[in-house]
Amino acid sequence: ELKVEQNPLFLSMQEGKNYTIYCNYSTTSDRLYWYRQDPGKSLESLFVLLSNGAVKQEGRLMASLDTKARLSTLHITAAVHDLSATYFCAVGFGNEKLTFGTGTRLTIIP
Amino acid sequence: DGGITQSPKYLFRKEGQNVTLSCEQNLNHDAMYWYRQDPGQGLRLIYYSQIVNDFQKGDIAEGYSVSREKKESFPLTVTSAQKNPTAFYLCASSIPGPYGYTFGSGTRLTVV
């Protein structure tokens, strides 16, 4: 059974700082996704990572994938308040349903 | 524009009532999913369907039922057997391939 763990679960960081969210998964996967959720809202797709060493960047967010370590990271550079949200990773294989991580609630403090 | 529409946005249920949450998509997606999210928690899969007239239980199916009579529609009924139904419910859909899920805007269900 595929298990997906994120850490930390909660993260408070100051504006302007850098930090990384980690997503570990337990079995072989060929796709990994990062989603963002604002309070009371739906999930918005951020990145899809499909191969070992894949790196995607959008603004202050950068996601990477190491399939050998079964690890993805979401790096936040020079955080701003607008990035406050809950971030989920989700892992899948082929056309099987995705398994979601527990989420990381990120709060950016001015 | 294509997308997933969930209705209603807010729903109130009395004790002992069944209620049905609607999920409609015009994306021509084959698969559809229902998730439950409790405050401050992650997503838990209730039911999913990969083709019309077929669906599978997820991790927390007890107290819920679904149907998939049309490709576009995947309604979720919260039955009176679900003892703690207050939660945020999200519907999603997908197509085969590395495209991820598209989510609806959610329904917030409260027991009164």
Side-chain angles (χ1 to χ4, degrees), chain B residues 91-106:
Chain B
C91 179
S93 69
S94 70
I95 54 172
Y99 306 108
Y101 292 359
T102 300
F103 283 87
S105 56

PDB file of all heavy atoms in Angstrom, chain B residues 91-106:
ATOM      1  N   CYS B  91     -15.177  17.028  -4.634  1.00  0.00           N
ATOM      2  CA  CYS B  91     -15.306  16.126  -5.769  1.00  0.00           C
ATOM      3  C   CYS B  91     -14.166  16.426  -6.735  1.00  0.00           C
ATOM      4  O   CYS B  91     -13.735  17.586  -6.863  1.00  0.00           O
ATOM      5  CB  CYS B  91     -16.653  16.354  -6.445  1.00  0.00           C
ATOM      6  SG  CYS B  91     -16.979  15.327  -7.888  1.00  0.00           S
ATOM      7  N   ALA B  92     -13.660  15.410  -7.393  1.00  0.00           N
ATOM      8  CA  ALA B  92     -12.568  15.591  -8.351  1.00  0.00           C
ATOM      9  C   ALA B  92     -12.796  14.683  -9.547  1.00  0.00           C
ATOM     10  O   ALA B  92     -13.571  13.719  -9.477  1.00  0.00           O
ATOM     11  CB  ALA B  92     -11.224  15.293  -7.702  1.00  0.00           C
ATOM     12  N   SER B  93     -12.116  14.987 -10.635  1.00  0.00           N
ATOM     13  CA  SER B  93     -12.193  14.136 -11.816  1.00  0.00           C
ATOM     14  C   SER B  93     -10.831  14.063 -12.473  1.00  0.00           C
ATOM     15  O   SER B  93      -9.949  14.904 -12.222  1.00  0.00           O
ATOM     16  CB  SER B  93     -13.245  14.656 -12.805  1.00  0.00           C
ATOM     17  OG  SER B  93     -12.828  15.878 -13.393  1.00  0.00           O
ATOM     18  N   SER B  94     -10.659  13.060 -13.336  1.00  0.00           N
ATOM     19  CA  SER B  94      -9.376  12.896 -14.011  1.00  0.00           C
ATOM     20  C   SER B  94      -9.556  12.089 -15.285  1.00  0.00           C
ATOM     21  O   SER B  94     -10.582  11.425 -15.496  1.00  0.00           O
ATOM     22  CB  SER B  94      -8.360  12.202 -13.095  1.00  0.00           C
ATOM     23  OG  SER B  94      -8.702  10.841 -12.902  1.00  0.00           O
ATOM     24  N   ILE B  95      -8.542  12.160 -16.136  1.00  0.00           N
ATOM     25  CA  ILE B  95      -8.451  11.319 -17.318  1.00  0.00           C
ATOM     26  C   ILE B  95      -7.186  10.500 -17.217  1.00  0.00           C
ATOM     27  O   ILE B  95      -6.266  10.871 -16.466  1.00  0.00           O
ATOM     28  CB  ILE B  95      -8.440  12.150 -18.617  1.00  0.00           C
ATOM     29  CG1 ILE B  95      -7.340  13.212 -18.568  1.00  0.00           C
ATOM     30  CG2 ILE B  95      -9.786  12.762 -18.893  1.00  0.00           C
ATOM     31  CD1 ILE B  95      -7.147  13.952 -19.879  1.00  0.00           C
ATOM     32  N   PRO B  96      -7.088   9.397 -17.937  1.00  0.00           N
ATOM     33  CA  PRO B  96      -5.846   8.606 -17.909  1.00  0.00           C
ATOM     34  C   PRO B  96      -4.663   9.450 -18.348  1.00  0.00           C
ATOM     35  O   PRO B  96      -4.772  10.284 -19.234  1.00  0.00           O
ATOM     36  CB  PRO B  96      -6.127   7.487 -18.911  1.00  0.00           C
ATOM     37  CG  PRO B  96      -7.605   7.360 -18.934  1.00  0.00           C
ATOM     38  CD  PRO B  96      -8.132   8.750 -18.744  1.00  0.00           C
ATOM     39  N   GLY B  97      -3.519   9.204 -17.699  1.00  0.00           N
ATOM     40  CA  GLY B  97      -2.327   9.963 -18.044  1.00  0.00           C
ATOM     41  C   GLY B  97      -1.889  10.845 -16.896  1.00  0.00           C
ATOM     42  O   GLY B  97      -2.565  10.942 -15.878  1.00  0.00           O
ATOM     43  N   PRO B  98      -0.758  11.506 -17.072  1.00  0.00           N
ATOM     44  CA  PRO B  98      -0.150  12.269 -15.970  1.00  0.00           C
ATOM     45  C   PRO B  98      -0.729  13.668 -15.825  1.00  0.00           C
ATOM     46  O   PRO B  98       0.006  14.653 -15.793  1.00  0.00           O
ATOM     47  CB  PRO B  98       1.310  12.318 -16.398  1.00  0.00           C
ATOM     48  CG  PRO B  98       1.242  12.402 -17.890  1.00  0.00           C
ATOM     49  CD  PRO B  98       0.073  11.522 -18.286  1.00  0.00           C
ATOM     50  N   TYR B  99      -2.026  13.765 -15.711  1.00  0.00           N
ATOM     51  CA  TYR B  99      -2.670  15.085 -15.706  1.00  0.00           C
ATOM     52  C   TYR B  99      -3.197  15.490 -14.346  1.00  0.00           C
ATOM     53  O   TYR B  99      -3.717  16.588 -14.186  1.00  0.00           O
ATOM     54  CB  TYR B  99      -3.786  15.113 -16.750  1.00  0.00           C
ATOM     55  CG  TYR B  99      -3.283  14.712 -18.119  1.00  0.00           C
ATOM     56  CD1 TYR B  99      -3.636  13.476 -18.663  1.00  0.00           C
ATOM     57  CD2 TYR B  99      -2.428  15.525 -18.846  1.00  0.00           C
ATOM     58  CE1 TYR B  99      -3.157  13.078 -19.896  1.00  0.00           C
ATOM     59  CE2 TYR B  99      -1.943  15.134 -20.081  1.00  0.00           C
ATOM     60  CZ  TYR B  99      -2.309  13.910 -20.599  1.00  0.00           C
ATOM     61  OH  TYR B  99      -1.823  13.523 -21.817  1.00  0.00           O
ATOM     62  N   GLY B 100      -3.118  14.612 -13.381  1.00  0.00           N
ATOM     63  CA  GLY B 100      -3.609  14.960 -12.054  1.00  0.00           C
ATOM     64  C   GLY B 100      -5.118  15.052 -12.007  1.00  0.00           C
ATOM     65  O   GLY B 100      -5.821  14.620 -12.924  1.00  0.00           O
ATOM     66  N   TYR B 101      -5.601  15.601 -10.908  1.00  0.00           N
ATOM     67  CA  TYR B 101      -7.033  15.736 -10.693  1.00  0.00           C
ATOM     68  C   TYR B 101      -7.451  17.191 -10.847  1.00  0.00           C
ATOM     69  O   TYR B 101      -6.704  18.113 -10.512  1.00  0.00           O
ATOM     70  CB  TYR B 101      -7.411  15.300  -9.265  1.00  0.00           C
ATOM     71  CG  TYR B 101      -7.268  13.829  -8.956  1.00  0.00           C
ATOM     72  CD1 TYR B 101      -6.835  12.910  -9.897  1.00  0.00           C
ATOM     73  CD2 TYR B 101      -7.584  13.354  -7.682  1.00  0.00           C
ATOM     74  CE1 TYR B 101      -6.701  11.559  -9.589  1.00  0.00           C
ATOM     75  CE2 TYR B 101      -7.471  12.018  -7.371  1.00  0.00           C
ATOM     76  CZ  TYR B 101      -7.024  11.133  -8.313  1.00  0.00           C
ATOM     77  OH  TYR B 101      -6.899   9.802  -7.999  1.00  0.00           O
ATOM     78  N   THR B 102      -8.683  17.373 -11.304  1.00  0.00           N
ATOM     79  CA  THR B 102      -9.331  18.675 -11.272  1.00  0.00           C
ATOM     80  C   THR B 102     -10.379  18.616 -10.168  1.00  0.00           C
ATOM     81  O   THR B 102     -11.184  17.679 -10.134  1.00  0.00           O
ATOM     82  CB  THR B 102     -10.001  18.992 -12.613  1.00  0.00           C
ATOM     83  OG1 THR B 102      -9.010  18.992 -13.650  1.00  0.00           O
ATOM     84  CG2 THR B 102     -10.669  20.361 -12.565  1.00  0.00           C
ATOM     85  N   PHE B 103     -10.345  19.592  -9.290  1.00  0.00           N
ATOM     86  CA  PHE B 103     -11.244  19.600  -8.141  1.00  0.00           C
ATOM     87  C   PHE B 103     -12.392  20.596  -8.319  1.00  0.00           C
ATOM     88  O   PHE B 103     -12.225  21.655  -8.939  1.00  0.00           O
ATOM     89  CB  PHE B 103     -10.477  19.974  -6.866  1.00  0.00           C
ATOM     90  CG  PHE B 103      -9.641  18.849  -6.322  1.00  0.00           C
ATOM     91  CD1 PHE B 103      -8.349  18.652  -6.771  1.00  0.00           C
ATOM     92  CD2 PHE B 103     -10.150  17.999  -5.356  1.00  0.00           C
ATOM     93  CE1 PHE B 103      -7.571  17.616  -6.288  1.00  0.00           C
ATOM     94  CE2 PHE B 103      -9.389  16.956  -4.852  1.00  0.00           C
ATOM     95  CZ  PHE B 103      -8.099  16.767  -5.327  1.00  0.00           C
ATOM     96  N   GLY B 104     -13.537  20.242  -7.744  1.00  0.00           N
ATOM     97  CA  GLY B 104     -14.629  21.189  -7.630  1.00  0.00           C
ATOM     98  C   GLY B 104     -14.389  22.136  -6.476  1.00  0.00           C
ATOM     99  O   GLY B 104     -13.382  22.031  -5.764  1.00  0.00           O
ATOM    100  N   SER B 105     -15.323  23.049  -6.269  1.00  0.00           N
ATOM    101  CA  SER B 105     -15.147  24.086  -5.255  1.00  0.00           C
ATOM    102  C   SER B 105     -15.572  23.634  -3.868  1.00  0.00           C
ATOM    103  O   SER B 105     -15.349  24.340  -2.893  1.00  0.00           O
ATOM    104  CB  SER B 105     -15.915  25.344  -5.647  1.00  0.00           C
ATOM    105  OG  SER B 105     -17.272  25.018  -5.849  1.00  0.00           O
ATOM    106  N   GLY B 106     -16.186  22.467  -3.766  1.00  0.00           N
ATOM    107  CA  GLY B 106     -16.502  21.890  -2.470  1.00  0.00           C
ATOM    108  C   GLY B 106     -17.884  22.213  -1.954  1.00  0.00           C
ATOM    109  O   GLY B 106     -18.520  23.204  -2.349  1.00  0.00           O
TER     110      GLY B 106
END
